[in-house]
Amino acid sequence: MDKEALSKSYSPHVVEEKWYKYWLEGGFFEAEDKSEKKPFSIVIPPPNVTGMLHMGHALNNTLQDIIIRYKRMQGYNSLWMPGTDHAGIATQNVVEQALAKEGISRHDIGREKFIEDVWKWREKYGGIILNQLQKLGCSCDWKRERFTMDEGLSRAVREIFVKLYNDGLIYQGDYIVNWCPRCHTAISDLEVEYEEEKGGLWYIQYPYAEGEGGIVVATTRPETMLGDTAVAVNPNDERYEDVIGKKVILPLMNKEIEIIADDYVSKEFGTGAVKITPASDPNDFAIAERHGLEIIVVIDGNGVINENGGVYRGQDRDTCRENVVEDLKKGGYLIREEPYLHNVGRCYRCKTIVEPAVSKQWFVKVKPLAKEASAAVVKGDTRIIPPIWEGTYFEWMENIRDWCISRQIWWGHRIPVWYCDECGKIIAAVEEPQVCPDCGGGSLKQDEDVLDTWFSSALWPFSTLGWPEKTEALETFYPTSLLVTGFDIIFFWVARMMMMGLYIMKKVPFNDVYLHALVRDEEGDKMSKSKGNSIDPLKMIDRYGADAFRFTLAAFTAQGRDVKMSEARIEGYQHFVNKIWNTARFAFMNLDDYTEKGEKVKDSEYSLADRWIKDALNRTIREVSSSLDEYRFNDASGVIYQFVWHELCDWYLEMIKPVLYGNNSPERRLAAQETLYDVFEKTIKLLHPFIPFVTEEIWQKMKVAEGTSVMVSEFPAESETYEDGDAFHRVSVLKDIIGNIRNIRGVMNIPPPKKLRVLLSVPDRELRSILDDGREYILNLANLQELSVEGTVEEPRGVATGIVGSIKIYVFLEGMVDIVAERARLEKEMKKLSKDLVNVSKKLNNRDFMEKASEVVIRKEEAKFEELKEKNRNLEEALKKLQEIEE
RNA sequence: GGGCGGGUAGCUCAGUUGGGAGAGCGCCACGUUUACACCGUGGAUGUCACAGGUUCAAGUCCUGUUCCGCCUACCA
């Protein structure tokens, strides 16, 4: 035991840094590629290299760390694989912005130089978030850190692209995709966020080419009419029966387009006639394909009208809309304009309105992959926890659409496809080909596009372990045991890892997926920079310590519910950490002269308190373990909080103080010391996964072993030798009695320092012996000067009465009886009791209940009834006595 | 439009197979007793959203209503 005195309160700063360094240097985070021990592995959801630690990361990584520390202590060969994601668009944006400050655009310096700059940027700032994870205490195996753009992982990307291509699961083509005019790239369907926004609905008349009148269409995007190539109506719409096949004049453009019929058009909406702009709307594009319509692109990659837009050329889409509306008005084509609420899709990264646009892109045919991924969850190869998310997963897998994987940016994995200048051959290859395999031509150009970042993330569980090499790590740790991530990336990431894992490895990427909720502010709003309601985890760690912060996150992580975070809650758990610290102080002060290797304590020397706390600890161990096994983080933290504060501190320490302080029984003192040491050390171990720093600090001071760490010590296992139902029963009786006396003291306003005299009337022999044996505890914890335990006795005069079952407690008040207060107290208790009594007797008098309820329940009710009746009798008696005094 | 989750103490939330409504924080009173005032002891607090139903028994199961949140969807 360390003799140096501990300060009165725990200060995290020095401690955290010290132990993290110790763990790193000691190699305690490192897993073994090959081991006798059973493997357990988690791959980190790789944060963006541009990322800064936010609450979502904090929650996600705290949960992973809790599990990995728990498993490591349980003796698993535990790997937590760390790394980062190259985050194509986001990272490119950041570096472009930095260049912009110097007035340079990426086009000024060219692709090669630009990518060089990104790598330099990454060298400089890319590690920030990983350092921040270390502040949180994350026990990742840092020596294995991976980056999605590493050579090995890039190789994996190319291999898989080529395999998919050769298997016919990747194709290229001109299709309408979501285009972000600001990021200047295509994005996948998932990367578009739809939000209802106020807009307008414009009714425009397209005059018939021949004859009078025209057809009126309704649109939310009048500017796209420049690219209209048809007007569509429903084939069953009588209103338009006659006009199908007729030509109309496209206003402003003065060209003829045809009225066609298609089932897609709804008769009910608007006028029942739709303008068709194949290049700017996915539905229109589909119609165009069905009807062989011309596709005219009028909006370019920057969201600006191109040469096909006539006089509107060069105007951005918003300006163009204003002008088009104005001109339609002038020309008498605009029939009506009304405000309209509709869904607007925005780029999830930059919030720019997405422009559906036709362009040549690469796609993955995901249907066959999705089928396998779905089946694996049905079979139970992968468990989704909580299971509520299974439905979401299945539904998406069933309705999945092809995945657009090409991006028109520079930062990322360049698509491993080359085009032969001479014969036009398309070559997909892992390594750059020198000559065209068809014509032998040497002039090959690589595709300019890069892959969606999620393409490489989808490979993460095996690419980080060395695939395509057959590494030992891959052999040992794949499939990984657990994935912990937010439900918001089920589709982006979880689903795609499932598909790729099964496709490449023929095995699921992880056995369990634990999906946690989002961290919100105390109002329940999503935290965001723009709202300014985000809490900075690093500030919280700085203010309250990483441990308090982590414990708070764990305590609020109930399955399937969002975590509402507020600083006050973290502060609350800081108190808990401090409580543990002070428990340690207490222990150290009283274990000065104790060494674990001292003489063996005889079983008979263990006090009731010793036996009881071991039983309580045993229950706690069981519950913490089973909760963690089921990822019930709030239950696990709640159970342990309850144990530390309300069993260990409130009761056990108080019970053993007289033994520790007094000198009259060295044997019992030693027994208490041994128990305290043992129980406290196990408690520290139980707590370690949640609050690693303070537990290490304390554990090291306990000098359990040199040169090692609590993080690789053995996690406590429940043990039959600690089970003690008798001690549990005895202490609950004592607690009831002590609680009742304290209640009398409190309610009757007796000053705490005043020592009381108490007489217990205990008709039951067994209880009498329990109370007799436990008299020292009652004397100390209820602060009594005298305690008599008798059989049935007559109620003395001048007492306050407490009833616990059949036991009557008489507290001598020696003339201080406040009759009014005592009567009020007793009557209140009567009232509460009679309510219960009525309920129970109702049940027992109900024939149906007696016939239909289970035996156990009936017996329980009967016992309850007896107990209540007795208590009621006793209360009545006490009230009668009070009456006598009054008279 | 479809789907999912939620409504329990002042606040944040637990409540696993139906069988005596809970915790933390906050609040009130008393108290510095040699680990801790980041503490101790005691106390107060509920139409378990609403309406039906099943059942001997419903916070828990079923139906409907309502409010909030989220996901998803090609109706211009």
Side-chain angles (χ1 to χ4, degrees):
Chain A
M1 197 62 49
D2 204 315
K3 292 245 167 75
E4 88 187 77
L6 268 61
S7 64
K8 273 175 86 166
S9 62
Y10 171 63
S11 25
H13 292 105
V14 206
V15 171
E16 292 182 0
E17 206 160 311
K18 176 178 70 183
W19 292 119
Y20 201 87
K21 205 167 151 230
Y22 177 81
W23 293 331
L24 266 182
E25 285 168 0
F28 297 116
F29 297 158
E30 292 162 31
E32 298 164 68
D33 279 353
K34 220 174 171 178
S35 164
E36 293 299 300
K37 296 192 270 183
K38 279 203 292 188
F40 183 89
S41 54
I42 302 180
V43 290
I44 202 169
N48 291 356
V49 271
T50 55
M52 296 299 241
L53 191 78
H54 58 58
M55 274 292 172
H57 295 126
L59 172 65
N60 177 245
N61 289 288
T62 295
L63 300 183
Q64 290 177 77
D65 197 44
I66 289 171
I67 296 292
I68 203 84
R69 283 181 185 269
Y70 169 61
K71 290 291 178 181
R72 194 183 286 120
M73 289 175 74
Q74 282 188 329
Y76 287 87
N77 175 25
S78 300
L79 167 64
W80 186 7
M81 170 71 73
T84 48
D85 188 310
H86 68 277
I89 297 174
T91 309
Q92 174 155 329
N93 283 348
V94 169
V95 178
E96 277 192 282
Q97 273 160 26
L99 285 175
K101 276 188 192 146
E102 300 165 42
I104 307 169
S105 95
R106 69 184 156 108
H107 300 283
D108 296 338
I109 57 175
R111 185 164 187 153
E112 207 166 311
K113 174 73 172 63
F114 178 75
I115 287 175
E116 229 171 79
D117 281 2
V118 180
W119 276 105
K120 269 189 217 145
W121 183 90
R122 189 243 170 196
E123 283 310 309
K124 217 163 156 189
Y125 305 107
I128 291 182
I129 190 152
L130 299 180
N131 280 320
Q132 293 173 328
L133 289 178
Q134 301 194 345
K135 292 241 175 347
L136 194 61
C138 293
S139 60
C140 306
D141 187 347
W142 296 109
K143 289 200 171 140
R144 295 176 192 259
E145 184 192 329
R146 293 290 185 277
F147 179 48
T148 45
M149 292 282 283
D150 281 349
E151 180 41 44
L153 278 74
S154 301
R155 161 99 200 223
V157 165
R158 292 196 304 271
E159 293 269 2
I160 287 163
F161 184 98
V162 171
K163 180 170 162 56
L164 283 164
Y165 182 82
N166 291 337
D167 287 351
L169 292 171
I170 279 185
Y171 63 92
Q172 185 188 34
D174 283 294
Y175 294 94
I176 194 156
V177 292
N178 304 293
W179 182 271
C180 175
R182 203 219 58 88
C183 298
H184 215 270
T185 178
I187 53 180
S188 73
D189 293 340
L190 285 178
E191 287 163 308
V192 182
E193 284 175 347
Y194 290 92
E195 188 103 39
E196 256 197 359
E197 290 180 24
K198 276 185 212 158
L201 193 59
W202 287 268
Y203 292 80
I204 307 165
Q205 184 170 57
Y206 288 11
Y208 296 127
E210 287 167 21
E212 291 297 297
I215 192 163
V216 178
V217 298
T219 181
T220 55
R221 296 200 59 196
E223 72 280 10
T224 61
M225 67 167 293
L226 305 176
D228 280 4
T229 52
V231 169
V233 296
N234 189 288
N236 303 316
D237 195 334
E238 300 88 31
R239 293 174 294 177
Y240 298 118
E241 251 171 2
D242 301 340
V243 299
I244 294 169
K246 270 182 110 170
K247 296 269 193 321
V248 293
I249 303 290
L250 182 61
L252 309 183
M253 299 304 282
N254 283 322
K255 72 180 218 197
E256 282 190 1
I257 56 177
E258 196 181 324
I259 298 174
I260 57 168
D262 195 284
D263 285 331
Y264 156 76
V265 182
S266 154
K267 290 193 276 186
E268 283 74 40
F269 190 87
T271 60
V274 195
K275 62 191 257 337
I276 302 297
T277 321
S280 291
D281 183 283
N283 303 308
D284 294 3
F285 183 80
I287 290 182
E289 278 199 316
R290 286 198 286 273
H291 297 264
L293 300 177
E294 193 188 353
I295 297 169
I296 302 174
V297 176
V298 291
I299 300 172
D300 72 10
N302 298 315
V304 172
I305 306 302
N306 67 11
E307 66 280 3
N308 296 327
V311 297
Y312 303 96
R313 177 181 185 171
Q315 300 180 4
D316 71 61
R317 46 190 177 159
D318 298 324
T319 316
C320 176
R321 175 180 300 181
E322 287 170 28
N323 291 332
V324 163
V325 169
E326 191 58 33
D327 292 345
L328 286 171
K329 237 185 252 175
K330 277 187 202 151
Y333 300 110
L334 190 68
I335 306 299
R336 197 146 51 99
E337 176 182 348
E338 57 191 37
Y340 187 64
L341 215 55
H342 64 138
N343 275 332
V344 175
R346 289 174 182 275
C347 170
Y348 88 131
R349 234 173 297 252
C350 71
K351 312 299 170 200
T352 303
I353 294 180
V354 163
E355 187 62 50
V358 175
S359 55
K360 184 174 271 192
Q361 302 290 345
W362 289 93
F363 298 86
V364 178
K365 214 181 273 177
V366 276
K367 273 238 151 63
L369 302 172
K371 219 176 130 196
E372 298 286 317
S374 222
V377 173
V378 173
K379 266 191 287 175
D381 293 347
T382 293
R383 278 200 311 162
I384 296 179
I385 301 147
I388 190 80
W389 293 110
E390 276 181 6
T392 308
Y393 174 83
F394 290 136
E395 217 215 56
W396 190 71
M397 287 297 192
E398 269 162 41
N399 300 318
I400 201 160
R401 286 183 300 165
D402 286 355
W403 173 18
C404 173
I405 50 168
S406 43
R407 296 290 179 274
Q408 288 65 49
I409 55 173
W410 288 349
W411 176 239
H413 300 102
R414 192 139 170 201
I415 291 180
V417 166
W418 285 263
Y419 304 97
C420 174
D421 275 347
E422 280 150 50
C423 69
K425 164 93 179 161
I426 296 173
I427 309 141
V430 175
E431 301 302 341
E432 179 164 6
Q434 297 308 311
V435 292
C436 174
D438 272 15
C439 71
S443 175
L444 301 173
K445 273 210 195 78
Q446 187 170 6
D447 196 296
E448 293 290 325
D449 291 351
V450 300
L451 289 164
D452 182 3
T453 307
W454 292 106
F455 189 93
S456 51
S457 310
L459 321 179
W460 190 249
F462 50 89
S463 64
T464 51
L465 290 169
W467 194 92
E469 305 294 324
K470 287 196 175 69
T471 61
E472 279 184 338
L474 191 63
E475 184 64 30
T476 303
F477 295 113
Y478 192 94
T480 65
S481 316
L482 170 66
L483 178 82
V484 179
T485 192
F487 68 80
D488 51 328
I489 54 175
I490 294 181
F491 307 143
F492 276 114
W493 196 44
V494 178
R496 287 167 179 170
M497 280 190 287
M498 286 293 288
M499 294 193 281
M500 290 302 185
L502 285 162
Y503 175 62
I504 297 299
M505 303 294 294
K506 311 291 171 212
K507 276 189 206 156
V508 293
F510 23 74
N511 299 320
D512 283 2
V513 190
Y514 175 76
L515 295 165
H516 57 74
L518 255 48
V519 183
R520 298 172 179 281
D521 70 4
E522 33 190 337
E523 308 295 323
D525 288 332
K526 206 167 168 175
M527 288 189 183
S528 73
K529 255 191 213 153
S530 50
K531 267 190 214 149
N533 63 344
S534 46
I535 300 176
D536 179 357
L538 295 167
K539 271 191 195 141
M540 296 303 105
I541 291 171
D542 194 46
R543 258 173 232 167
Y544 305 102
D547 290 331
F549 180 54
R550 289 168 58 116
F551 202 86
T552 310
L553 288 167
F556 281 94
T557 302
Q559 286 190 4
R561 234 208 240 248
D562 287 343
V563 179
K564 286 188 197 165
M565 185 45 65
S566 82
E567 196 165 340
R569 280 170 212 146
I570 304 169
E571 195 182 344
Y573 283 106
Q574 182 194 23
H575 299 170
F576 176 58
V577 173
N578 194 55
K579 186 78 177 175
I580 295 162
W581 180 253
N582 275 289
T583 312
R585 277 185 74 202
F586 174 87
F588 294 164
M589 285 174 188
N590 291 285
L591 293 172
D592 257 359
D593 55 340
Y594 171 78
T595 46
E596 206 187 357
K597 293 121 204 138
E599 69 262 54
K600 182 90 181 71
V601 176
K602 271 184 280 176
D603 274 356
S604 59
E605 297 300 341
Y606 291 115
S607 65
L608 174 61
D610 295 335
R611 288 166 46 207
W612 172 78
I613 194 66
K614 282 190 252 190
D615 180 66
L617 172 70
N618 205 43
R619 268 180 287 120
T620 305
I621 291 169
R622 181 163 60 232
E623 284 167 30
V624 168
S625 307
S626 64
S627 299
L628 283 181
D629 289 339
E630 294 165 43
Y631 312 111
R632 298 198 325 263
F633 296 95
N634 60 325
D635 286 344
S637 47
V639 162
I640 199 164
Y641 181 99
Q642 172 69 23
F643 172 75
V644 169
W645 205 307
H646 299 302
E647 296 191 290
L648 181 62
C649 292
D650 287 353
W651 289 96
Y652 180 66
L653 297 189
E654 297 305 325
M655 286 169 105
I656 61 168
K657 271 178 185 175
V659 183
L660 291 175
Y661 294 159
N663 280 326
N664 31 9
S665 174
E667 296 82 11
R668 305 211 73 177
R669 182 160 179 273
L670 184 66
Q673 285 180 316
E674 192 208 61
T675 306
L676 174 60
Y677 184 93
D678 175 43
V679 168
F680 188 57
E681 202 237 340
K682 289 199 166 78
T683 304
I684 289 299
K685 287 176 176 173
L686 272 183
L687 283 162
H688 177 75
F690 301 88
I691 48 174
F693 294 108
V694 70
T695 47
E696 183 75 275
E697 174 75 4
I698 292 169
W699 195 79
Q700 293 290 345
K701 285 192 191 305
M702 289 177 86
K703 297 258 189 275
V704 180
E706 294 291 338
T708 179
S709 161
V710 65
M711 68 169 282
V712 291
S713 70
E714 199 178 323
F715 197 80
E718 66 173 303
S719 141
E720 267 176 44
T721 60
Y722 277 12
E723 238 176 70
D724 198 329
D726 178 61
F728 177 80
H729 173 63
R730 282 168 179 267
V731 171
S732 32
V733 172
L734 295 175
K735 277 163 110 176
D736 278 350
I737 300 299
I738 292 162
N740 210 283
I741 298 171
R742 284 172 172 176
N743 169 283
I744 291 171
R745 186 191 284 278
V747 176
M748 301 297 283
N749 260 319
I750 301 163
K754 166 88 181 155
K755 285 196 181 285
L756 299 170
R757 285 199 305 132
V758 167
L759 167 63
L760 300 178
S761 166
V762 190
D764 183 90
R765 257 183 59 201
E766 191 214 327
L767 286 174
R768 199 152 63 230
S769 103
I770 289 176
L771 291 165
D772 233 349
D773 294 346
R775 61 187 312 115
E776 286 300 317
Y777 295 122
I778 302 173
L779 280 167
N780 284 307
L781 298 179
N783 195 26
L784 309 182
Q785 57 168 319
E786 193 185 315
L787 175 72
S788 325
V789 181
E790 308 284 346
T792 312
V793 289
E794 183 72 7
E795 174 167 337
R797 285 187 72 90
V799 293
T801 312
I803 313 289
V804 174
S806 64
I807 303 168
K808 277 172 261 184
I809 302 165
Y810 301 123
V811 178
F812 291 88
L813 295 177
E814 292 155 35
M816 333 175 0
V817 193
D818 179 340
I819 293 180
V820 179
E822 173 69 353
R823 168 179 294 281
R825 193 176 66 83
L826 293 173
E827 278 174 348
K828 198 181 121 196
E829 213 166 326
M830 281 281 283
K831 213 173 128 193
K832 216 188 315 180
L833 190 134
S834 62
K835 221 173 102 189
D836 288 347
L837 203 54
V838 168
N839 281 336
V840 179
S841 54
K842 242 197 234 162
K843 276 191 192 173
L844 293 175
N845 289 325
N846 183 336
R847 192 176 301 158
D848 286 331
F849 175 77
M850 297 303 281
E851 278 169 10
K852 291 173 184 169
S854 77
E855 186 79 7
V856 187
V857 173
I858 291 174
R859 237 177 292 145
K860 219 166 118 193
E861 289 297 314
E862 279 169 349
K864 191 160 71 181
F865 182 68
E866 288 308 316
E867 196 185 305
L868 289 171
K869 225 168 56 184
E870 180 158 30
K871 189 166 176 183
N872 191 50
R873 216 167 30 236
N874 290 333
L875 279 169
E876 269 171 0
E877 206 174 293
L879 275 163
K880 216 166 83 194
K881 286 278 175 197
L882 207 59
Q883 191 98 25
E884 284 167 23
I885 300 173
E886 277 180 298
E887 280 158 9

